[in-house]
Amino acid sequence: MTASGTPRRAAAPLARRRFLAGLTAGAVTLAVEGCARGTSTSPQPGTTSISNDNATWDEGYRSAGRELEKITGYALRPLSNPSVTSYQQVVQMTLQTSKASDMVKWASGYQLKRLARAGGLTDLSSVWGQYAAKGWVRDATRETMSYDGKVYGVPLYESYYVLFYSKPVFKKLRLSAPSSWAELLRCAEVLKRNKITPFLASQVGGWPAIEWFQELVTKVDPRFYQKLVAGEASYLDDAARQAMDIWHDFMRKGWMTSPDFDQARGPGALKAGTVGMFLHGTWQAQGMSAVGMKPGVDYGAFILPTVRPSAPKSVITESGVFAVPARASSHAAAMKNVGAWLDPSVQRVWSDFLQDSSANPTVRSSNPVVAELQRDIARERRLPLIRYWEASPPSLIQGNTNDLGGFMAGQTSPATTLRRMQERAQDEWAAWRRDEA
């Protein structure tokens, strides 16, 4: 994932004021050059351009675009910028100019709110209404795509945060996917006893430091998590303290990899049997296939159990968005493609490419592991929760992510980490609300 929502490695995030003060000349040059290259956003008959920061998805866009073309008459033309810093700057600098692409890939939640607040995006409320009438979107996700009551994005994909596990290793050790907290602890103990690190935990790239924090807080109390990310609860409250204490205990027991363990090595470690469980988004199914692991045979996945049986069941959900610049050169074509993006025929191709879940709830994943997760989420009526990265003002999340990385590296205690996060929360929520006023 990147700051714009792509699930892949990203540079370590910076706090807002440091970011504004510390833009290097090189980064600015990249942005200017990106604008200069904006001639590629000029209209091309029969296509709409997509700005995105993940070139590995280009073929998926093209494949889905061929299905879109059957419906709208317009294919998709991806324009990839692999530099995260440059990508964000180019999008924000060109959004209200003739150099804007027809469609923009971005993150949901407060990342999208910040972009919408700056102006230059098209109101997609009518598109959302059409999707809702067909049952092609989930009502619960509307808020994450909105700002000031208007919808500014349609969901690009839908991923869930789960624990992947090695089925051969679990079978050899006579373990099964845990359905309770006690069973999870037993799995960890057995794996550790057999010289297998139970859990992968990483801060490489910065953003992965949020994964165990969001998981443990939501499995202690998902309602508290909702209040916390909305600025209505404190990082010093008991639920947050309990989650951090659990995390700290796992690390002290040697149940987690070193924080400098690169998640890119996760699928390979799972296959080799050196790591037992890998917490990540379901988009990682592509990585499992890349190392030759078959879903349902070589790996399975489960949602982390609640710490207390009485706690409501929940699942962290991630979704990027497609937004349409108001001054897109092929605006009418872009609106047609955005309006047909969640058509089941398009989503079937796109979901198969990602090996993940579609944002359209009527489309079942062809990956049997992900499909079983979809059934579990529906059967258990799990509360969908926005991922921490998009759940609060970006400057707050970026700073807190750095603090969580420091905690993982042993630089701060749970109490000190939470205190710093709460101090930042007070400042950044006040700044966000001032800007809103």
Side-chain angles (χ1 to χ4, degrees):
M1 184 221 72
T2 69
S4 58
T6 305
R8 59 185 177 84
R9 293 177 59 188
L14 301 174
R16 176 181 59 185
R17 295 172 184 83
R18 289 173 56 204
F19 176 76
L20 293 174
L23 287 174
T24 65
V28 173
T29 300
L30 281 172
V32 172
E33 290 176 350
C35 291
R37 292 195 299 271
T39 52
S40 60
T41 65
S42 300
Q44 291 189 13
T47 71
T48 54
S49 60
I50 303 174
S51 287
N52 74 97
D53 56 357
N54 187 354
T56 64
W57 284 7
D58 283 3
E59 185 52 41
Y61 289 132
R62 294 189 186 98
S63 297
R66 286 191 283 273
E67 292 301 313
L68 275 173
E69 190 174 15
K70 297 174 184 177
I71 302 170
T72 67
Y74 299 97
L76 297 179
R77 180 164 49 92
L79 306 175
S80 302
N81 185 338
S83 168
V84 176
T85 300
S86 174
Y87 177 75
Q88 293 177 40
Q89 292 178 20
V90 169
V91 168
Q92 292 176 77
M93 291 173 64
T94 63
L95 190 61
Q96 301 184 55
T97 74
S98 61
K99 299 297 184 182
S101 62
D102 300 324
M103 299 162 69
V104 172
K105 172 185 171 294
W106 206 251
S108 58
Y110 276 80
Q111 299 281 351
L112 180 62
K113 292 179 192 295
R114 181 169 64 175
L115 195 65
R117 188 169 68 179
L121 291 182
T122 302
D123 181 356
L124 302 179
S125 300
S126 62
V127 174
W128 187 276
Q130 293 167 11
Y131 280 153
K134 295 177 181 178
W136 289 358
V137 286
R138 303 180 197 277
D139 291 339
T141 62
R142 190 183 194 278
E143 174 56 28
T144 68
M145 311 281 163
S146 303
Y147 174 69
D148 198 24
K150 298 178 181 179
V151 177
Y152 287 99
V154 297
L156 174 57
Y157 58 89
E158 182 171 272
S159 291
Y160 312 115
Y161 275 75
V162 301
L163 281 161
F164 291 98
Y165 69 97
S166 167
K167 296 201 80 166
V169 167
F170 270 50
K171 182 178 180 180
K172 179 182 178 180
L173 299 179
R174 298 182 180 179
L175 297 173
S176 57
S179 58
S180 70
W181 190 254
E183 290 175 3
L184 177 78
L185 300 184
R186 180 178 176 276
C187 286
E189 290 167 352
V190 172
L191 288 164
K192 181 64 176 177
R193 193 161 57 241
N194 284 273
K195 304 186 185 310
I196 300 170
T197 304
F199 304 112
L200 193 156
S202 174
Q203 59 150 329
V204 174
W207 77 268
I210 72 170
E211 292 183 298
W212 277 98
F213 177 76
Q214 68 181 14
E215 279 299 310
L216 291 171
V217 172
T218 58
K219 297 314 182 282
V220 169
D221 186 346
R223 299 296 185 187
F224 166 77
Y225 175 82
Q226 289 180 308
K227 294 178 180 178
L228 181 69
V229 298
E232 299 169 357
S234 170
Y235 284 87
L236 300 179
D237 289 345
D238 287 343
R241 293 178 186 273
Q242 184 179 352
M244 290 294 283
D245 286 343
I246 292 171
W247 192 3
H248 195 219
D249 183 55
F250 281 11
M251 291 193 293
R252 285 187 300 187
K253 288 178 176 176
W255 285 3
M256 291 184 156
T257 58
S258 169
D260 62 359
F261 189 103
D262 192 336
Q263 285 184 324
R265 295 165 49 205
L270 211 65
K271 182 178 181 180
T274 57
V275 170
M277 293 172 276
F278 180 12
L279 174 62
H280 222 26
T282 47
W283 41 261
Q284 185 56 262
Q286 277 191 327
M288 301 297 178
S289 293
V291 298
M293 297 182 76
K294 296 181 179 179
V297 176
D298 299 313
Y299 74 89
F302 63 91
I303 297 169
L304 191 71
T306 57
V307 176
R308 297 186 312 276
S310 60
K313 293 182 178 181
S314 64
V315 60
I316 294 288
T317 303
E318 171 192 345
S319 180
V321 303
F322 272 149
V324 178
R327 296 188 62 182
S329 56
S330 302
H331 189 272
M335 290 298 290
K336 287 185 178 181
N337 273 351
V338 164
W341 172 249
L342 291 182
D343 185 281
S345 65
V346 178
Q347 287 300 298
R348 175 78 280 145
V349 173
W350 178 241
S351 177
D352 286 351
F353 170 78
L354 294 180
Q355 299 183 47
D356 201 356
S357 178
S358 168
N360 183 332
T362 70
V363 177
R364 185 68 58 189
S365 176
S366 59
N367 181 311
V369 170
V370 178
E372 177 54 36
L373 289 166
Q374 290 177 311
R375 286 190 288 270
D376 171 89
I377 290 167
R379 182 177 61 249
E380 300 294 337
R381 297 183 179 180
R382 293 183 182 273
L383 179 67
L385 300 170
I386 187 171
R387 184 174 59 162
Y388 187 70
W389 188 261
E390 293 91 17
S392 298
S395 51
L396 168 59
I397 297 300
Q398 290 164 350
N400 281 1
T401 299
N402 287 342
D403 283 342
L404 290 170
F407 164 72
M408 294 179 71
Q411 297 171 359
T412 55
S413 66
T416 298
T417 305
L418 290 174
R419 177 177 53 78
R420 291 179 177 179
M421 293 171 76
Q422 178 57 24
E423 289 172 353
R424 182 176 295 103
Q426 292 173 336
D427 291 342
E428 296 299 346
W429 273 114
W432 178 270
R433 288 162 181 155
R434 280 197 304 272
D435 290 344
E436 291 289 88

